[in-house]
Amino acid sequence: ILRTLINAGYDAYLVGGAVRDLLLEKAPEDYDIVTNAQPEEIVAVAKKAGFGVVAELGQNFGVVMVVVDEISVEVASYRSESYGHDAHRRESVLYCETLAEDLARRDFTIKAIAMDNQGRVIDYFNGLEDLKNRTLRTVGKASQRFAEDALRMFRACRFISQLGVTYDEELFAAIAEQLPRVR
């Protein structure tokens, strides 16, 4: 899928948990790709390549499910999000221009890492260092990330448990600050 998008003239990177897992020498449970292609362009490129496409799934969030050899991969346009009064539902999704902008919207540094089709790692937020040090930190201010989406606090707990990472003090303080708000 990466090669197909790149050969069609688009950027394409593996991102998120799959990159984290590969760097930890674990088999990824799923794969996510980001690209500068818009959803309709992703669909066109995938269909031309003979891939299966579930175009309606999440397209309102800039995501297209592409199926190759019975493996489903979420392919998303570069995007940013804004949140309203509901602390875990996006109010709007805006397309952006660069990989750096897309990675900046992600919750934790260890998931804000990208990999190109040559296996080169792109890390704007020191996620590699955090993986090496086994530390969970947010991209940007933890209090802002948790205020945007309260479910991120539960994801933090899951990562701490599953990955055996520790957390920085800012993350812990932000969870303590947000808990009364989400009860």
Side-chain angles (χ1 to χ4, degrees), residues 82-91 147-148 181:
S82 66
Y83 293 82
H85 68 281
D86 187 337
H88 71 277
R89 284 188 173 76
R90 297 173 191 105
E91 191 169 83
E148 290 169 348
R181 191 171 80 83

Side-chain angles (χ1 to χ4, degrees), residues 123-160:
D123 178 22
Y124 298 112
F125 302 100
N126 298 315
L128 287 171
E129 184 177 330
D130 289 341
L131 271 180
K132 178 183 165 198
N133 294 329
R134 313 287 295 174
T135 301
L136 187 65
R137 286 186 316 111
T138 58
V139 175
K141 296 192 70 55
S143 57
Q144 178 182 345
R145 290 293 169 212
F146 296 146
E148 290 169 348
D149 184 346
L151 292 176
R152 289 175 170 164
M153 291 183 285
F154 296 105
R155 293 182 74 212
C157 295
R158 189 182 87 215
F159 290 143
I160 290 166

Side-chain angles (χ1 to χ4, degrees), residues 28-158:
E29 292 182 23
D30 59 10
Y31 295 89
D32 296 315
I33 292 174
V34 295
T35 178
N36 62 335
Q38 297 295 298
E40 61 278 0
E41 295 167 325
I42 297 167
V43 170
V45 169
K47 285 184 175 180
K48 183 176 179 184
F51 301 153
V53 175
V54 182
E56 303 81 39
L57 178 72
Q59 192 165 354
N60 56 335
F61 295 120
V63 177
V64 175
M65 186 70 70
V66 178
V67 183
V68 179
D69 298 329
E70 299 182 23
I71 297 173
S72 299
V73 177
E74 286 188 7
V75 181
S77 300
Y78 293 156
R79 62 192 198 261
S80 64
E81 302 154 338
S82 66
Y83 293 82
H85 68 281
D86 187 337
H88 71 277
R89 284 188 173 76
R90 297 173 191 105
E91 191 169 83
S92 66
V93 174
L94 309 166
Y95 295 114
C96 54
E97 301 292 321
T98 67
L99 175 65
E101 290 172 291
D102 183 87
L103 294 176
R105 73 174 177 83
R106 295 176 185 271
D107 48 10
F108 303 104
T109 61
I110 62 173
K111 290 192 69 204
I113 304 171
M115 185 179 287
D116 70 11
N117 70 324
Q118 302 296 312
R120 290 182 293 251
V121 173
I122 298 95
D123 178 22
Y124 298 112
F125 302 100
N126 298 315
L128 287 171
E129 184 177 330
D130 289 341
L131 271 180
K132 178 183 165 198
N133 294 329
R134 313 287 295 174
T135 301
L136 187 65
R137 286 186 316 111
T138 58
V139 175
K141 296 192 70 55
S143 57
Q144 178 182 345
R145 290 293 169 212
F146 296 146
E148 290 169 348
D149 184 346
L151 292 176
R152 289 175 170 164
M153 291 183 285
F154 296 105
R155 293 182 74 212
C157 295
R158 189 182 87 215

